[in-house]
Amino acid sequence: MSTYEADALGWFGGTGAFGGRFMPEALIAALDELDVAWREAMADPAFTGEFDRLLHEYAGVPSLLYDATRLSEHAGARILLKREDLNHTGAHKIRNVLGQALLTQRMGKTRVIAETGAGQHGVASATAAAYLGLDCTVYMGEVDTERQALNVARMQLLGAEVIPVTSGSRTLKDAINEAMRDWVASVDETAYLFGTAAGPHPFPSLVLSFVRGIGDEARRQCLDQYGTLPDAVAACVGGGSNAIGLFAGFVDDPEVAIYGFEAGGDGVETGRHAATIFAGSIGVLHGARTFVLQDEDGQTIESHSISAGLDYPGVGPQHSALSAAGRASYLPVTDAEAMDAMALLARTEGIIPAVESAHAVAGALRIAEERPGQTILVNLSGRGDKDMGTALEYFGLGQAGSRGQRETK
Amino acid sequence: MSSTSTAFARARAEGRAALVGYLPAGFPDVEGSIAALKVMVESGCDIIEIGLPYSDPVMDGPTIQAAAQQALDAGVRTADVLRVVEAVAATGTPTLVMTYWNPVERYGVERFARDLADAGGAGLITPDLTPDFAPEWIAAADERELDKVFLVAPSSTDERIAMTTAAARGFVYATGVMGVTGTTQATAAGVAPLVARTKALSPAGGADLPVGVGVGVSTGAQAAELAVKNGIGADGVIVGSAFVRTLLNHPGDRAAGLAALAALTEELAGGVRA
């Protein structure tokens, strides 16, 4: 990713700017071991070939690039959807976990741990662990286990142990803390499958290397199918793995505008949101210097979003660097805008997106107003099956004989 | 020589290890933590570590997490932590702050170093900041001669131990177990290799840089086992969760909590002298 890549110490945007490694000494040897093993693996055609084969034969990659004509008509711009929702397990996350689990196997470790917010990364990790015969423990905030009970059941069916985390705000950030605590005590036989392109070096770069297929494929597909690059690309940003995967394919094309849409929750002005770059400040969280939602004393503030997968008070350091460099724009999308977009995509295209991905669709609709007739490529990072409980409650669905109380345009 | 080094030297001259005691500031409340830390000083702690409560303490187990959360829920601020430092340092006992990095960065590294020094604090222990990512803190600490206590772990390579001890001042903190605070017990057999490696790799063979062992130490018997006389070579024994647990076990009865705290401190002080 040229000038936007990390240096050898994991800094993005210059020494001391974003990223780095703010971690207990006890874990440094493991991070160094991982860094070396990952670089060797990525240079080994046997490893990358096996990764590509698994993605293709098992995960259904490359995902389609789909011309959403009815949605485009509504938007007044051409909307292309990168259909990561069609991947095995229903989201882009399978790419990351297959890469990391293969690497775990190569390193001779037998157990993986993972944190999860919405449960998508947990399900993906449990899937990869089952497929490759690894033990799997998933840490999940107690609050999230309640709002995503279906995903808890999926992980359990796949043979993983799901541990509810009751410390702190009992959401994703606390699940990461607990997974790190596990890792400090189990690092000899355990690999930590980090769920997003955040955390200490080398995780942001390592995760990117496994998800950047999203952007590389989309760029090629766009040229092959439509003979041109998009005018803009858009993705939702929580920790930011689907977004960085998409952006990586286009960051060196200066004519392509890049938009990341953060969870605006009830609205940034209410303080109840997860718009880390848009409304946060620079700090250190989970091992990296990046934008953080924090109070005056540097205590992490709880984030809020209708989408568990975006409900995170930090963000991958590479996004912070892209924002600081002015290469990408990060804007908030509220819960209400995202839910409207979810319903709109369902009714215009017959595609029910994950609430996370609906933020990207809503954002694309907004930028379409400034870009009439242009081509906007959106990463539809996940499908909405897991969010039916949220939709049922939000729209008042589930009663036969009505179309739901909250009608959308 | 910093006040911390002096305390270690005094213990060494007495042929024993130093006892380092930890409590988070603001637990059970600001005044309560001052009272508790003073009891620990009076009952035999040679050095005090004051924890700065943080929302995301990845190195801490459930006991210290609970205490830190209680302090944060009650609204403790960084300024309160410095107030606790001032009150405890006034006893003449070397007083360090143990803090995750973000609160210092947010306060301003230079400003934190100044206010800590003004409060009489001896320095910082930084569990998630290693010397290779600490240029700002090292510069600020050097300017005010504050202690820079970095950690080494059983998993540290020889190169990293040499780098860490070269950057450290006051003492170097050897984590007794691979794990978080207050969960697993450190043993002499487990700790001895790390202490020996740390001393061998320190500048001047460790003569100028004491090694304190923490994480996994909670009883007088353990303190005795790890202390210098018995051949492990730990210059200091660091206890945290056991003190916190003692206070957590006496909710609503301050006097009983302080009495139990004094008894535990005396047991540990006896251990380092055994």
Side-chain angles (χ1 to χ4, degrees):
Chain A
M1 215 161 147
S2 65
T3 55
Y4 300 104
E5 278 178 10
D7 69 13
L9 287 174
W11 293 118
F12 293 94
T15 302
F18 297 104
R21 188 187 272 174
F22 296 84
M23 287 300 277
E25 172 64 21
L27 287 173
I28 300 296
L31 291 166
D32 279 338
E33 180 196 12
L34 179 65
D35 192 24
V36 168
W38 163 62
R39 286 175 199 283
E40 284 174 2
M42 296 309 282
D44 179 356
F47 178 84
T48 53
E50 176 69 355
F51 179 50
D52 288 344
R53 189 185 69 79
L54 285 193
L55 282 180
H56 182 64
E57 294 177 8
Y58 183 68
V61 162
S63 60
L64 302 173
L65 185 67
Y66 167 76
D67 193 352
T69 51
R70 291 198 64 217
L71 180 68
S72 298
E73 212 171 290
H74 184 95
R78 180 183 219 175
I79 310 279
L80 304 177
L81 300 176
K82 178 64 173 160
R83 296 292 307 277
E84 290 290 295
D85 60 313
L86 297 177
N87 295 350
H88 182 42
T89 74
H92 71 287
K93 300 223 175 233
I94 191 72
R95 297 176 185 260
N96 176 32
V97 294
L98 282 177
Q100 290 199 52
L102 266 184
L103 187 57
T104 301
Q105 213 176 36
R106 182 183 165 100
M107 292 171 75
K109 300 196 176 193
T110 55
R111 173 176 180 258
V112 296
I113 55 173
E115 84 293 342
T116 195
Q120 291 303 86
H121 176 58
V123 169
S125 297
T127 301
Y131 183 67
L132 295 172
L134 301 164
D135 288 334
C136 181
T137 301
V138 179
Y139 290 93
M140 188 170 185
E142 192 180 43
V143 170
D144 293 333
T145 62
E146 288 157 10
R147 55 183 171 179
Q148 300 287 348
L150 205 56
N151 270 343
V152 175
R154 292 168 80 195
M155 289 183 264
Q156 290 169 331
L157 193 59
L158 289 160
E161 184 186 5
V162 182
I163 299 183
V165 175
T166 56
S167 57
S169 61
R170 296 176 294 138
T171 59
L172 177 57
K173 82 171 179 72
D174 307 284
I176 293 175
N177 293 340
E178 209 53 39
M180 284 186 178
R181 291 179 187 121
D182 178 315
W183 204 31
V184 174
S186 64
V187 68
D188 284 345
E189 76 282 357
T190 299
Y192 183 3
L193 302 194
F194 208 76
T196 189
H201 179 64
F203 281 116
S205 302
L206 180 153
V207 171
L208 171 61
S209 73
F210 295 136
V211 297
R212 67 167 298 144
I214 301 168
D216 292 338
E217 289 163 21
R219 186 176 189 282
R220 200 166 50 237
Q221 289 167 324
C222 197
L223 286 171
D224 288 352
Q225 293 172 214
Y226 311 108
T228 179
L229 287 175
D231 298 294
V233 297
C236 63
V237 179
S241 67
N242 91 83
I244 208 70
L246 178 70
F247 296 174
F250 297 95
V251 77
D252 288 326
D253 296 314
E255 67 272 36
V256 178
I258 297 178
Y259 292 91
F261 291 102
E262 301 187 303
D266 292 341
V268 168
E269 69 287 353
T270 65
R272 292 176 51 82
H273 62 83
T276 309
I277 295 178
F278 184 81
S281 52
I282 295 171
V284 169
L285 178 66
H286 293 142
R289 181 172 291 134
T290 188
F291 281 91
V292 177
L293 298 180
Q294 58 183 334
D295 71 11
E296 245 182 288
D297 282 352
Q299 307 291 346
T300 309
I301 295 173
E302 277 182 45
S303 54
H304 292 275
S305 171
I306 195 165
S307 143
L310 301 182
D311 199 351
Y312 179 56
V315 65
Q318 198 168 6
H319 287 296
S320 296
L322 287 171
S323 173
R327 180 62 189 96
S329 307
Y330 295 84
L331 300 165
V333 164
T334 63
D335 289 353
E337 289 175 289
M339 294 307 286
D340 282 352
M342 183 190 203
L344 181 67
L345 187 63
R347 290 171 192 198
T348 54
E349 298 287 348
I351 297 170
I352 299 176
V355 180
E356 289 79 11
S357 319
H359 285 71
V361 175
L365 293 172
R366 198 196 295 159
I367 56 176
E369 292 170 16
E370 303 154 16
R371 297 174 174 273
Q374 294 192 7
T375 299
I376 303 168
L377 192 157
V378 179
N379 192 18
L380 200 69
S381 55
R383 61 178 173 240
D385 307 32
K386 69 181 178 59
D387 294 315
M388 283 303 100
T390 302
L392 193 139
E393 195 178 318
Y394 186 86
F395 294 115
L397 306 173
Q399 293 276 11
S402 99
R403 275 207 235 172
Q405 292 159 0
R406 206 184 295 222
E407 274 298 324
T408 58
K409 41 191 165 169
Chain B
M1 206 179 214
S2 77
S3 60
T4 309
S5 310
T6 307
F8 272 103
R10 192 185 316 121
R12 188 179 288 189
E14 292 172 13
R16 64 175 179 91
L19 176 62
V20 184
Y22 165 98
L23 271 187
F27 166 72
D29 53 42
V30 173
E31 294 312 318
S33 64
I34 293 172
L37 286 157
K38 284 184 172 170
V39 164
M40 286 160 63
V41 167
E42 287 157 13
S43 307
C45 282
D46 300 293
I47 294 163
I48 291 293
E49 252 183 56
I50 295 176
L52 193 156
Y54 176 52
S55 51
D56 295 273
V58 294
M59 271 292 285
D60 285 308
T63 304
I64 291 177
Q65 282 178 47
Q69 191 63 49
Q70 195 177 317
L72 289 173
D73 289 346
V76 73
R77 303 284 311 265
T78 301
D80 296 319
V81 176
L82 291 166
R83 190 151 63 83
V84 176
V85 169
E86 189 164 21
V88 176
T91 64
T93 299
T95 302
L96 297 104
V97 170
M98 176 144 182
T99 181
Y100 292 90
W101 186 241
N102 196 49
V104 179
E105 186 153 310
R106 184 68 166 163
Y107 194 88
V109 177
E110 173 57 33
R111 178 176 165 230
F112 194 96
R114 182 197 66 203
D115 290 356
L116 179 65
D118 288 352
L124 283 188
I125 301 165
T126 52
D128 64 349
L129 186 74
T130 51
D132 41 345
F133 285 91
E136 231 188 322
W137 162 238
I138 288 172
D142 288 350
E143 197 187 316
R144 295 172 198 281
E145 291 184 10
L146 291 166
D147 291 331
K148 303 164 287 184
V149 180
F150 296 109
L151 280 65
V152 293
S155 59
S156 299
T157 60
D158 286 355
E159 291 74 21
R160 288 196 62 85
I161 292 177
M163 183 270 289
T164 304
T165 52
R169 178 167 48 230
F171 68 101
V172 62
Y173 190 126
T175 49
V177 296
M178 285 296 286
V180 296
T181 57
T183 50
T184 321
Q185 297 292 303
T187 63
V191 172
L194 176 61
V195 173
R197 279 204 299 146
T198 304
K199 292 202 166 235
L201 294 161
S202 286
D208 302 329
L209 187 68
V211 179
V213 174
V215 184
V217 188
S218 60
T219 67
Q222 264 185 309
E225 202 188 352
L226 299 172
V228 67
K229 266 204 309 197
N230 296 335
I232 304 304
D235 303 299
V237 173
I238 307 163
V239 179
S241 295
F243 287 123
V244 173
R245 198 174 300 119
T246 300
L247 288 185
L248 283 170
N249 286 345
H250 295 86
D253 189 346
R254 289 277 161 97
L258 294 179
L261 205 61
L264 175 63
T265 310
E266 283 161 14
E267 176 198 324
L268 291 160
V272 296
R273 287 169 174 80

